[in-house]
Amino acid sequence: MTEYFNEMFDGGKVRQPYNGLDGWMREMPSELRAMKQAEAEALFRRIGITFAVYGEGGDPDRLIPFDMFPRVFTQPEWRKLERGIKQRARALNAFLLDVYGRGEIVRAGRIPARLVYQNDAYERAVSGFIPPRGIYSHIVGVDLVRTGPDQFYVLEDNCRTPSGVSYMLENREIMMRMFPQLFRENRIEPVDGYSDALRRTLASVAPAKCDGEPTVAILTPGHFNSAYYEHSFLADLMGVELVEGPDLFCEGGFCWMRTTEGPKKLDVIYRRIDDAFLDPLCFRPDSMLGIPGLMDVYRSGGVSICSAPGAGVADDKAIYTFVPEMVRFYLGEEPLLENVPTWQCAKKDDCKYVLENLSELVVKEVHGSGGYGMLVGPKSTKEQIENFRHKIEDNPENYIAQPTLALSTTPTFVEEGVAPRHVDLRPYCLVGEKVELVPGGLTRVALTEGSLVVNSSQGGGVKDTWVLAE
């Protein structure tokens, strides 16, 4: 039977980070816990924190399950993660600048050309273009898992539009409202500086033609998008406009925002829509979400787009295996955070191994996300495994495989009291004039006993993430 690292208990003893929570957990009556849980759900519902899942029937706007038991990191643990995440964000941006330029890493034979230039996420429309400060990915979400006291692995990188930061902020807000005594008794690093840091990051990459204080806006696909709450939430916190495609137009080498006082020049767009829908003159001609001519304005230095079109080639799951090599190639350093060992089904020997060991591996689509399009071998039926085998045989290049990691567990409130559940972590790294991240992140928890899938669309929940101050 697999042993999992319990982040709170070590051989029956409470680990130091959780000393301040042990008594709180034991002394809380079940009636109070039920009342507080109902209070949290009411707050989430009133604030409007929902996520959308379509095509499954029922109410598409679901309340994300919130677990009141925080996850805790010590300051030394966090510093180790922070250094590794910043290193990774710098390397990913160096890679993007390179592959849209001279492609030195490909010329050096460190990454196969086909994985880059034949990748669906590679946008030829920005080839040869250098964005402000040479930065392509301004918000990098790094998904981490823990397997031991000092063992952390990067599960995947998110370089396009990583979502979930609103939950990080609201989880803290709700915990402080419901359990103020915990924050009086424990010194916890704040996360509420994120919106100021994000605004600062976006302003620092204003385009060449910007004079004066840059005007920033968030571009959303609209209220039918699954992360619309987050778009409006961040716009509110930063004090910037939330706009949709029809609110903007391009003219005279600039992007303009329609307002009641007439057109207003827009300098920085934090876009939360996919590349394909940004500009119908450059990408999908049937897009009703984008702005015609936006890419011409972008390339001429009239507006900045964050994250840049084409940034997705860096977070492709086939490219992921080469990120440690990027760190060595561009930074001349050894990676501080390890990748999960990965087999690429595009390679004949790797594919043979994967097909022979499907029942023990986690298999993912190269372009998949949200917990969809994947097989967790040890948790799957023989029929599911055989169905997936045929998919891999039909299109091996579309899949990678990884060992089933023994994800750490943290205490989680369940029907019968408190029980360990598997978790991951997504910190948000901001890359602009400087590279920074707030001390915390989004902890996702697999609420189903034994489950390793933490995605909210697959029944996962969220927790507040504490970093203890020294």
Side-chain angles (χ1 to χ4, degrees), residues 58 67 93 98 120 124 188-189 208 216 338 341 346 367 377 379 383:
D67 178 59
N93 270 291
D98 181 26
D120 288 344
R124 285 168 178 76
I188 303 156
E189 295 278 10
V216 178
E338 291 183 59
H367 306 298
K379 305 290 182 184
E383 185 183 0

Side-chain angles (χ1 to χ4, degrees), residues 211-223:
D211 46 1
E213 186 70 22
T215 301
V216 178
I218 296 180
L219 175 62
T220 176
H223 67 279

Side-chain angles (χ1 to χ4, degrees), residues 358-359 361-363 374-381 385 404 452-453:
L358 277 177
S359 61
L361 301 172
V362 175
V363 188
M374 66 185 284
L375 174 84
V376 181
K379 305 290 182 184
S380 301
T381 64
I385 289 172
T404 308
L452 298 171
V453 182

Side-chain angles (χ1 to χ4, degrees), residues 19-29 32 68-70 175 178-179 181-182 185-186 413 466:
N19 282 340
L21 290 172
D22 188 41
W24 172 76
M25 172 187 75
R26 296 182 191 282
E27 292 164 15
M28 189 187 298
L32 177 61
M68 298 183 297
F69 205 113
M175 282 296 290
M178 293 197 306
F179 302 105
Q181 80 281 3
L182 282 180
E185 295 165 2
N186 298 276
F413 287 119
W466 291 5

Side-chain angles (χ1 to χ4, degrees), residues 377-394:
K379 305 290 182 184
S380 301
T381 64
K382 285 185 178 179
E383 185 183 0
Q384 288 170 327
I385 289 172
E386 286 310 306
N387 287 340
F388 223 88
R389 181 188 306 280
H390 296 313
K391 289 181 181 179
I392 296 169
E393 289 170 342
D394 290 343

Side-chain angles (χ1 to χ4, degrees), residues 56-130:
E56 296 183 11
D59 180 9
D61 289 320
R62 298 182 188 174
L63 197 65
I64 195 162
F66 172 65
D67 178 59
M68 298 183 297
F69 205 113
R71 184 186 193 180
V72 190
F73 291 98
T74 62
Q75 193 66 222
E77 286 173 339
W78 178 253
R79 279 201 296 266
K80 175 184 177 179
L81 291 178
E82 183 180 37
R83 287 195 300 270
I85 292 162
K86 287 181 175 180
Q87 179 192 60
R88 204 167 174 101
R90 286 196 298 269
L92 288 164
N93 270 291
F95 166 74
L96 286 164
L97 186 63
D98 181 26
V99 296
Y100 285 109
R102 288 179 53 81
E104 297 290 358
I105 198 165
V106 175
R107 291 167 185 245
R110 304 288 186 93
I111 296 180
R114 64 175 178 78
L115 288 183
V116 177
Y117 302 118
Q118 293 176 27
N119 194 307
D120 288 344
Y122 186 85
E123 298 291 2
R124 285 168 178 76
V126 292
S127 182
F129 172 71
I130 299 177

